[in-house]
Amino acid sequence: MSAKTQPETRDRILETARGLFASQGCQRTSIREIAEQLGLTKTAVLYHFSTKVEILAELAAPLLDDLDAAVKTASRAPVSQQRWRTIEGVLDVYLAHRQLLSLVIQNMAVFAQEQVFGRYFAIMTRALELVVGPAPEVGERVRGAQVTAMLSDPVILLADLPTEDLRREILIGARRLYGPMVGPSQKSASRPRSKGRPAVMDETMVARAHSLRQNDSLTVEQIAASLGVSRATVYRYLAPDS
């Protein structure tokens, strides 16, 4: 069976290209170098991918697939929860694909591919719509765009930070810009305490609090800071009879 017809050849090309692109960049990597790494001819690689950008676009597909799925999942949540379901969903995808996200951003030529840019733009436009909610004012649209855009840069620039710490701090920053994770029906119940922290947590926040509590290295104060609420609020929701 020739290199052209081996079913695993395409996957091997992608994996080898991923490593080379990550270590030396797409521009400095040639098709011939990818072929030599695999023991193939340049023609054999070109049979599967006509350009390096086409390879990079294929590598970006899992990131786009997961972003699309996260946004669609958030869109099925109650309207009052869609904002933070979207923000957390998009962030979790970026964190799950930290290396791939960095690879794509470092090799912006991938966005020259119309199908890649068009799909990414459509996904993130829908994400923004969910974040700002129905009939947003100009300021709300701008803040929504700021929050949505700020999710990726820390993931790329702070690659040395542990995922859980990075996630927590990014969400703290998002809440400082956009407010606590409460829906319209909860605004009247969420009277600010002396330090401006809400006294009510929604279902998503409660689930997150329980998840963080399972990590023995996190204190209640750290959990409260992550969620943007007071320690007393966390204690109330984590109580056995809550």
Side-chain angles (χ1 to χ4, degrees), residues 214-242:
Q214 293 175 1
N215 184 343
D216 293 334
S217 65
L218 295 180
T219 66
V220 171
E221 185 172 358
Q222 289 173 321
I223 295 172
S226 173
L227 297 173
V229 299
S230 68
R231 285 179 297 174
T233 300
V234 173
Y235 275 121
R236 183 167 66 254
Y237 281 90
L238 292 183
D241 57 349
S242 64

Side-chain angles (χ1 to χ4, degrees), residues 142-157:
V142 171
R143 283 191 296 276
Q146 288 175 309
V147 169
T148 305
M150 72 179 281
L151 299 176
S152 60
D153 282 4
V155 177
I156 298 167
L157 298 174

Side-chain angles (χ1 to χ4, degrees), residues 66-77 119 123 126 130:
D66 287 352
L67 280 175
D68 191 24
V71 172
K72 286 179 178 176
T73 297
S75 71
R76 294 191 288 268
R119 188 181 181 199
I123 292 170
R126 179 55 179 151
L130 295 174

Side-chain angles (χ1 to χ4, degrees), residues 16-34 51-57 59 102-113:
T16 299
R18 180 200 292 268
L20 290 171
F21 290 168
S23 63
Q24 60 191 35
C26 182
Q27 294 297 327
R28 295 188 180 90
T29 301
S30 67
I31 294 289
R32 184 178 301 280
E33 187 174 4
I34 295 171
T51 65
K52 291 183 293 181
V53 173
E54 187 177 324
I55 295 175
L56 191 56
L59 289 172
S102 180
L103 176 65
V104 170
I105 296 301
Q106 290 173 22
N107 298 278
M108 293 297 290
V110 67
F111 286 109
Q113 292 281 315

Side-chain angles (χ1 to χ4, degrees), residues 6-165:
Q6 289 176 357
E8 75 277 7
T9 299
R10 186 179 181 88
D11 291 339
R12 290 174 59 217
I13 292 171
L14 289 172
E15 189 60 31
T16 299
R18 180 200 292 268
L20 290 171
F21 290 168
S23 63
Q24 60 191 35
C26 182
Q27 294 297 327
R28 295 188 180 90
T29 301
S30 67
I31 294 289
R32 184 178 301 280
E33 187 174 4
I34 295 171
E36 289 175 351
Q37 288 270 335
L38 290 165
L40 300 174
T41 65
K42 180 179 178 180
T43 301
V45 174
L46 291 174
Y47 174 83
H48 295 279
F49 301 99
S50 58
T51 65
K52 291 183 293 181
V53 173
E54 187 177 324
I55 295 175
L56 191 56
E58 184 81 6
L59 289 172
L63 173 63
L64 295 177
D65 289 344
D66 287 352
L67 280 175
D68 191 24
V71 172
K72 286 179 178 176
T73 297
S75 71
R76 294 191 288 268
V79 174
S80 63
Q81 298 179 19
Q82 287 178 356
R83 171 181 296 168
W84 288 100
R85 289 285 181 88
T86 302
I87 289 172
E88 289 195 317
V90 169
L91 175 58
D92 285 341
V93 170
Y94 286 156
L95 290 170
H97 294 284
R98 292 178 75 169
Q99 292 183 335
L100 179 56
L101 177 64
S102 180
L103 176 65
V104 170
I105 296 301
Q106 290 173 22
N107 298 278
M108 293 297 290
V110 67
F111 286 109
Q113 292 281 315
E114 183 176 351
Q115 70 272 24
V116 174
F117 176 79
R119 188 181 181 199
Y120 178 78
F121 188 82
I123 292 170
M124 297 313 294
T125 297
R126 179 55 179 151
L128 177 58
E129 292 172 350
L130 295 174
V131 168
V132 300
E137 297 179 355
V138 173
E140 293 172 328
R141 294 179 66 193
V142 171
R143 283 191 296 276
Q146 288 175 309
V147 169
T148 305
M150 72 179 281
L151 299 176
S152 60
D153 282 4
V155 177
I156 298 167
L157 298 174
L158 304 175
D160 60 311
L161 293 182
T163 297
E164 190 63 38
D165 292 346

Side-chain angles (χ1 to χ4, degrees), residues 199-224:
V200 175
M201 299 198 304
D202 63 18
E203 293 180 0
T204 302
M205 295 174 72
V206 173
R208 184 66 185 156
H210 280 286
S211 175
L212 291 173
R213 187 55 173 165
Q214 293 175 1
N215 184 343
D216 293 334
S217 65
L218 295 180
T219 66
V220 171
E221 185 172 358
Q222 289 173 321
I223 295 172

